[in-house]
Amino acid sequence: MKAKGSTVNWKPIKKFPNTWTVKPNLLDYDKTYATFSWEEVRRELDGLPGGKGLNIAHEAIDRHATGPRRDHLAIRWLSREGSVLDFTYGDLREQSNRFANVLRGLGVGKGDRVFVLAGRIPSLYIAALGSLKNTSVFCPLFSAFGPEPVFQRLSRGDAKVLVTTERLYRQKVADMRERLPQLQHVLLVDIDEDIDPGTWSLPKRLKEAATEFTIPPTDPEDMALLHFTSGTTGMPKGAIHVHEAVLTHYVTGKYVLDFHPEDIFWCTADPGWVTGTSYGIIAPLVHGITNLIDEADFDATRWYRILEEQRVTVWYTAPTAIRRLMRLEIEPRRQYDLSHLRLIHSVGEPLNPEAVVWGEQVLGLPIHDNWWQTETGGIMIANFPSMEIRPGSMGRPLPGIEAAIVRRVNEDKDEVEVVKEPNVEGELALKPGWPSMFRGYLHEEKRYQKCFVGGWYLTGDLARRDEDGYFWFVGRADDIIKTSGHMVGPFEVESVLMEHPAVAEAAVIGKPEPLIGELVKAFVSLKPGIEPSEKLRLELLGFARSRLGSAVAPKEIEFQANLPRTRSGKIMRRLLKARELGLPEGDISALETSE
Ligand code: ATP
Ligand code: MG
């Protein structure tokens, strides 16, 4: 199918500004792409002493803690209330060693699942690193999940250990403990005495634990992380990742996030989903830089203040947060000094071109979109600092990653063909074999196998590739709307609606209609202070029609103050659709709810 082409012509944004005091690590994309080898990346990492394998926590902590960066600030933690806690690489080494010793003391070993259910508190980070050192598997959970989603993941993920707070334990786990026979140890981070055998005080155990720990031999293929997907399209899947993934974390830190030794990096994602672990914990530490963690949730003023006061240089956030900032009438550069900021990246959902340009105009820097999934373990397609940005495009594939647009030859056959012509929509596919590729969906082997067809990993996303190799997101395969013989990607329609000054966010679905197949329907939330009205609805319908043409423009628009979204901030179109059609809502364990 031939794409209709972008409806809006956004001007490209030139590569990194000449005010930069550092040179991007990736200066010549084409050359690096052509000569790239994962073996060379492997050589830039340390490996365990004595050739005993590759362990993420060694690369992230010990190699710095035993070298010149021992006293460098590794993590700066900002509490909700305003206090600050600093950890050097040396501190993190000692604390993660203690945690690894606690696990060992409890008989927890290789491959055992250590879940953490907590907000962004220091214990979470120590537990993640200590579990990796112990060759156990780190499995993060959003603290805001209700009891049922927590139970589901603990049970499906074979949790042997759970690290959490007393409050979360009592609220969400205690009542189900009997239904979790594998869960042998609960370590509570905020009690001084054990509750009962099996419900321990973590501080007490940490105090008693030795500060030295030798990481056991770790095969790069040993399971390291278990991440549940966001649940945007259905029941979350448990994606298995191995220690070798650290190669992707490292190389994307180098080329995409462009880490330099003195950087202060802030990833706003919660470790409850993959970005918050791959980039909120691992990548910055592997690079030996300072990783900022804010315990609090989104708050525009707080965020701008943090960017200023902490002198953040590289900022990784998400479209949902950017859209929230865009809604406000704040002129951040008048009120805050953002001059330390060098690079802003975004992931998780399509980034509307409007947002990229807003970044440039309002923050002084364009926003660099990049694309990846829980399954890919790390960034796969990106707008690299040294490349021209084409607003609305996800960018180009990471060196070491072969991406293509493919078409299924025949639904029943195990075959796909690569679409060679540019600007044609099809499924986004990756050549398997990159280090952070998921190694399975836990307990769902068949489902895993189904992702690989004809030598490609099929991502479930639709996209197109332009003449210069930039990839453009069209929509998730599940969300594509078939209307009067056209295929409409919701992203394009949503982006146009968002260009209207009254619109804060938009979500577009296909609503079955006998004559035309599906009708394009948009749900729209408005900027603060703007009231829904029939006049505005008609204006928006006309606005969209004039830009998109009547075949693609929404036929129906409904105002909705809050669009349903996952905990990781993604709009759940499937839920809007189910509600519209009066169908069952399906798995909503990941739905964000106000507590
Ligand atoms: P589930 O698989 O459970 O339905 P999910 O796909 O939302 O949930 P994640 O792995 O967290 O779970 O999200 C990956 C998906 O997010 C991608 O497949 C894509 O649809 C979307 N996404 C991520 N980054 C981008 C981006 N830059 N542009 C467009 N879409 C993106
Ligand atoms: Mg997915």
Side-chain angles (χ1 to χ4, degrees):
M1 167 201 19
K2 193 90 182 152
K4 294 159 293 299
S6 187
T7 45
V8 191
N9 284 322
W10 293 88
K11 275 211 242 62
I13 297 175
K14 289 288 161 227
K15 51 195 184 192
F16 67 100
N18 52 15
T19 47
W20 271 30
T21 49
V22 293
K23 258 200 204 140
N25 293 321
L26 180 96
L27 273 171
D28 184 338
Y29 173 83
D30 293 305
K31 191 166 151 215
T32 308
Y33 192 92
T35 55
F36 183 88
S37 94
W38 286 109
E39 287 77 64
E40 255 171 57
V41 176
R42 176 72 181 76
R43 281 196 286 276
E44 289 180 45
L45 295 175
D46 220 11
L48 284 176
K52 297 223 170 80
L54 181 71
N55 184 296
I56 296 175
H58 173 84
E59 303 304 326
I61 304 299
D62 290 4
R63 72 174 178 137
H64 306 302
T66 50
R69 287 184 95 72
R70 192 187 72 174
D71 297 324
H72 193 76
L73 186 57
I75 287 182
R76 165 160 290 179
W77 178 75
L78 309 177
S79 83
R80 205 182 296 273
E81 287 76 29
S83 57
V84 175
L85 212 54
D86 283 345
F87 299 83
T88 63
Y89 279 90
D91 297 335
L92 279 189
R93 175 171 185 272
E94 186 191 312
Q95 302 222 21
S96 56
N97 281 352
R98 282 182 192 266
F99 187 86
N101 280 318
V102 168
L103 290 182
R104 192 178 271 177
L106 290 171
V108 177
K110 186 172 177 144
D112 288 337
R113 316 279 148 72
V114 179
F115 277 71
V116 179
L117 173 71
R120 289 180 294 280
I121 54 172
S123 304
L124 183 159
Y125 299 83
I126 307 289
L129 296 161
S131 302
L132 292 167
K133 282 190 168 177
N134 193 45
T135 61
S136 303
V137 178
F138 171 60
C139 319
L141 292 176
F142 267 112
S143 59
F145 278 147
E148 191 52 34
V150 169
F151 169 75
Q152 289 237 355
R153 287 162 178 78
L154 290 174
S155 152
R156 283 167 53 207
D158 311 318
K160 183 165 182 181
V161 179
L162 172 68
V163 179
T164 187
T165 64
E166 186 182 14
R167 182 181 66 87
L168 290 171
Y169 175 67
R170 294 199 188 282
Q171 275 179 358
K172 306 188 182 188
V173 185
D175 289 349
M176 339 234 189
R177 187 93 185 248
E178 275 176 17
R179 290 160 61 206
L180 292 164
Q182 292 136 307
L183 182 60
Q184 293 178 16
H185 306 287
V186 173
L187 291 162
L188 298 179
V189 303
D190 51 358
I191 56 166
D192 296 326
E193 292 301 327
D194 300 338
I195 293 185
D196 57 49
T199 314
W200 316 106
S201 153
L202 180 60
K204 185 171 156 196
R205 295 206 157 233
L206 285 172
K207 218 182 295 156
E208 290 162 3
T211 55
E212 287 305 315
F213 181 87
T214 306
I215 298 180
T218 313
D219 191 292
E221 285 300 312
D222 281 346
M223 185 169 167
L225 306 160
L226 175 68
H227 282 297
F228 286 91
T229 59
S230 288
T232 315
T233 54
M235 190 71 150
K237 299 145 271 187
I240 296 169
H241 287 286
V242 298
H243 281 272
E244 198 193 21
V246 71
L247 270 66
T248 311
H249 302 142
Y250 173 77
V251 92
T252 48
K254 181 174 171 182
Y255 289 150
V256 182
L257 301 168
D258 195 49
F259 290 149
H260 285 69
E262 297 314 311
D263 272 333
I264 296 172
F265 173 63
W266 184 25
C267 169
T268 60
D270 189 277
W273 82 292
V274 69
T275 305
T277 300
S278 292
Y279 298 98
I281 308 179
I282 301 169
L285 297 181
V286 171
H287 279 266
I289 63 167
T290 298
N291 188 30
L292 196 67
I293 294 158
D294 182 27
E295 186 191 15
D297 294 327
F298 177 88
D299 172 330
T301 339
R302 180 178 174 106
W303 278 28
Y304 284 130
R305 220 186 53 231
I306 290 176
L307 290 170
E308 172 182 88
E309 285 175 2
Q310 300 302 327
R311 303 172 163 227
V312 173
T313 54
V314 182
W315 186 31
Y316 197 14
T317 187
T320 178
I322 294 164
R323 289 193 297 258
R324 287 173 81 170
L325 293 175
M326 285 170 72
R327 267 184 233 174
L328 306 171
E329 293 289 323
I330 301 185
E331 284 186 56
R333 276 190 300 164
R334 281 222 179 145
Q335 295 168 40
Y336 304 92
D337 173 11
L338 303 181
S339 60
H340 298 94
L341 209 51
R342 186 175 84 243
L343 190 57
I344 309 175
H345 271 282
S346 156
V347 72
E349 277 193 299
L351 185 67
N352 316 82
E354 174 95 359
V356 178
V357 174
W358 173 85
E360 196 179 37
Q361 289 169 351
V362 178
L363 303 177
L365 293 170
I367 296 162
H368 295 244
D369 188 19
N370 56 72
W371 175 96
W372 58 292
Q373 312 177 297
T374 309
E375 290 86 342
T376 70
I379 300 167
M380 296 283 109
I381 296 180
N383 284 283
F384 299 88
S386 56
M387 254 170 46
E388 167 185 292
I389 297 179
R390 301 189 177 168
S393 162
M394 311 187 283
R396 296 166 81 187
L398 181 78
I401 298 299
E402 193 180 340
I405 301 297
V406 304
R407 192 187 287 136
R408 289 179 198 248
V409 175
N410 177 332
E411 281 301 322
D412 307 327
K413 276 206 228 141
D414 199 14
E415 268 179 58
V416 292
E417 67 183 12
V418 173
V419 176
K420 296 254 164 54
E421 320 88 280
N423 299 315
V424 173
E425 287 170 12
E427 193 160 348
L428 176 60
L430 304 172
K431 200 64 161 182
W434 71 95
S436 64
M437 188 181 90
F438 68 138
R439 300 298 199 268
Y441 284 133
L442 193 71
H443 305 315
E444 292 188 280
E445 186 53 28
K446 271 210 187 107
R447 191 171 194 173
Y448 179 67
Q449 296 302 342
K450 269 181 72 180
C451 300
F452 299 87
V453 181
W456 290 92
Y457 162 63
L458 302 187
T459 64
D461 284 345
L462 300 185
R464 60 193 164 83
R465 199 177 132 268
D466 70 18
E467 300 76 6
D468 303 314
Y470 282 72
F471 283 77
W472 299 74
F473 185 78
V474 173
R476 290 164 183 267
D478 291 0
D479 290 338
I480 288 300
I481 304 161
K482 299 175 192 87
T483 182
S484 309
H486 296 278
M487 303 283 260
V488 176
F491 175 48
E492 187 177 26
V493 182
E494 291 160 6
S495 289
V496 161
L497 285 167
M498 274 192 59
E499 284 171 37
H500 190 283
V503 175
E505 272 189 310
V508 167
I509 63 160
K511 184 175 158 185
E513 209 273 350
L515 275 183
I516 54 171
E518 280 183 308
L519 169 156
V520 179
K521 168 154 190 175
F523 294 85
V524 164
S525 75
L526 298 172
K527 289 197 177 144
I530 299 177
E531 290 302 316
S533 69
E534 184 56 16
K535 184 166 166 269
L536 181 57
R537 204 179 64 80
L538 293 173
E539 184 181 318
L540 288 176
L541 284 169
F543 177 81
R545 202 166 42 243
S546 68
R547 305 205 168 205
L548 291 160
S550 57
V552 177
K555 299 269 183 304
E556 286 183 17
I557 290 183
E558 184 175 321
F559 295 114
Q560 200 166 103
N562 293 304
L563 299 173
R565 56 182 74 251
T566 63
R567 293 259 166 229
S568 52
K570 295 159 194 268
I571 295 176
M572 290 170 93
R573 293 177 191 78
R574 71 170 161 101
L575 203 57
L576 287 168
K577 190 161 176 170
R579 287 174 182 170
E580 177 72 28
L581 306 182
L583 296 171
E585 295 194 342
D587 179 79
I588 52 161
S589 63
L591 178 70
E592 189 180 61
T593 46
S594 42
E595 299 220 321

